[in-house]
Amino acid sequence: MKSIRILCIGVILFFTSVSALAQAMTLSVDATDAARNMIHSKLAIPVRPGPLTLFYPKWIPGEHSPTGPINDLVGLKLSADGKPIAWRRDDIEMFAFHCDIPQGVNVLDVTFDDLSQPESTASAKLARIKWNRLLVYVQGMSSDAVSVKASLKLPAGWHFASALPITSERNGELQFKEVSLTQLVDSPAIIGANFRKFPLSSTGTMHEMDTMADSTAALDLKPETLTGLKSMVQEAYALFGARHYRNYQFLVTLSDHGGSEGLEHHESSEDGVGEKAFSEELELLDFAELMGHEYAHSWNGKYRRPAGLATPDFDQPMKGELLWVYEGLTQYLGKVLPARSGLWSAEDFREAMAAVAAEMENQTGRQWRPLVDTAIDVQWSYPSPRAWMNYRRRVDYYDEGSLIWLDADVLIRTRSNGKLSLDDFCKRFHGGQDTAPMVKPYTFDDVVNTLNEVTPYDWRSFLNTRVNEVAPHAPLAGITNGGWKLVYTDKPNTEVRIADHLRKSVDLSYSVGMLLKEDGSVMDVNPELAAFKAGIAPGMKIISVNGRTWSIDVVHEAVASSRTSMKPIEFVVENGSFQETYKVNYHGGERYPHLERDNTKPDVLSNVIKSRAR
Ligand SMILES: [Zn+2]
């Protein structure tokens, strides 16, 4: 019933909109209150008399879900020629607002405020301007067919960066070139008090990193990081063989309060990291991966997009079944590119792959749901709770997807005696001629066929068994056939240290089978390992370990000494207002994943991360 209703509206409004198209919708954004998470929006929308439905963008490209922040739209007022027009929200579709346009009216004025959640898009010194949060459009029109002329007023003294072309700039007010609604939403801006621009290419296509930070000190970039980022631009071109953007801008915000972000666009990416991302060793490694990931998306995700995710507007639901390509291959390239560019060492790359391999292999949820189900379920797997995540499985199409693509890469390299690689797939699939931004949708068959063009093999079965079937073990053949073994030692894994640092956690997943917060709260347990078997569950909080008050050092010491102790580890745990003692029968010491060289096989893994551009 619902789809028929929307289809009808779409057809009717399409005809309404053809003449409306002659005129662009204008969007005036006042961001002078951005530091207090409030942005004012004013629209003038060409309309015709009669019933009209306005739509607030719901399905956001790159988020693959109905995540438009409708709760943040407040103060909505419609008027025409200064006279108010009443609106009513749709009873079923909460993102749609119905109204009646009086005779003689051809422009509808709309005003509202966007109130973002604290710590989500802005800090006191910077903000991300996401146009989709700041507009409504006539429902039923394709976003390619809607023309928008936008302007933006900045807080006093703040700077601006975006891939959106500017026509004029005066007194902190920017006027932009008229573009399609598609391009507008795909061209967010960052604004802030402290700004620095880093050119990443000197000739030809312009590449730059634009950075806004909470402090000027945060903008100090190590020369070797800048060199690595410039190399990454070259490595990506060498990998794909073509570009599908006119210019490219990394829009980086450095703040511990402005919200973390990673969102891809054709000609830019939003990269929200902590204030110390350029200086702190672990955060810098994580930053390099984020940059590689979001950049690779310009090809894999924006230019080539699964047919189910290539929707014509922000209203049609997206289908996520091919996210193991969209995100999985990007997750793989997001590790390969920093390693080829020198932003990561070969050891950093191996530590990252080891962490992914161990996490996926130990995911107990893999025993009940195939990988594809985590992608189909994307509307719910993204916001899935942290508690019991090991049993639920969350967005595994990212990390397990990356293992599948490593597997395919090593297979192509081995079968072609090192002459071909996954780079050849990427060149065929994502390369071709240099073009301006465009979308070329694909299906599962297109992926299989292109793999077959590179190296004939039963790729359909290869992918089906790894993606569409319940697989008790993670696809680790890329590692083992690549000449390495997944092993566990008491030495902490770099990637695990990064994750612990960023989420303030203590990861004991591969020893007692628990992921803890720094205060002893249990975030997750592995139902097959000792802590769960002793009775511990997410939501509980550890008070003491072996008779000593909880601390990170105390728990590490207890796990480490379990190897030589005959007694179980004793945890006093708080569950609501009750306390109980749990005896965890574990004697394996500290365990963290690493890759160890297998000298019986050639080292293909090291070839994967060899520079292509140098
Ligand atoms: Zn991604």
Side-chain angles (χ1 to χ4, degrees), residues 550-566:
W550 161 266
S551 77
I552 297 169
D553 288 345
V554 161
V555 76
H556 277 303
E557 165 59 25
V559 174
S561 59
S562 67
R563 196 189 281 278
T564 51
S565 168
M566 302 296 285

Side-chain angles (χ1 to χ4, degrees), residues 209 221-222 225 229 232 250 252-256 259-263 269-295 330-331 333-339 342-345 348-349 351-352 355-356 359 398-399 493-504:
M209 178 168 76
L221 191 68
K222 293 178 169 77
T225 306
L229 291 170
M232 198 166 77
F250 294 93
V252 178
T253 48
L254 298 107
S255 169
D256 295 335
S260 62
E261 176 63 294
L263 191 61
S269 56
E270 294 171 79
D271 310 289
V273 290
E275 190 174 340
K276 293 193 171 65
F278 290 172
S279 54
E280 208 280 333
E281 181 203 347
L282 294 172
E283 292 186 34
L284 187 56
L285 289 172
D286 190 56
F287 169 73
E289 180 173 4
L290 177 68
M291 295 290 271
H293 181 105
E294 302 307 339
Y295 188 35
T330 304
Q331 191 78 342
L333 298 176
K335 291 176 166 63
V336 169
L337 285 172
L343 290 162
W344 276 12
S345 68
D348 293 331
F349 176 74
E351 287 283 272
V356 166
E359 188 175 352
Y398 279 88
D399 279 341
N493 169 291
T494 309
E495 201 68 27
V496 173
R497 284 174 60 219
I498 293 171
D500 276 349
H501 172 77
L502 292 173
R503 70 186 169 206
K504 298 187 181 0

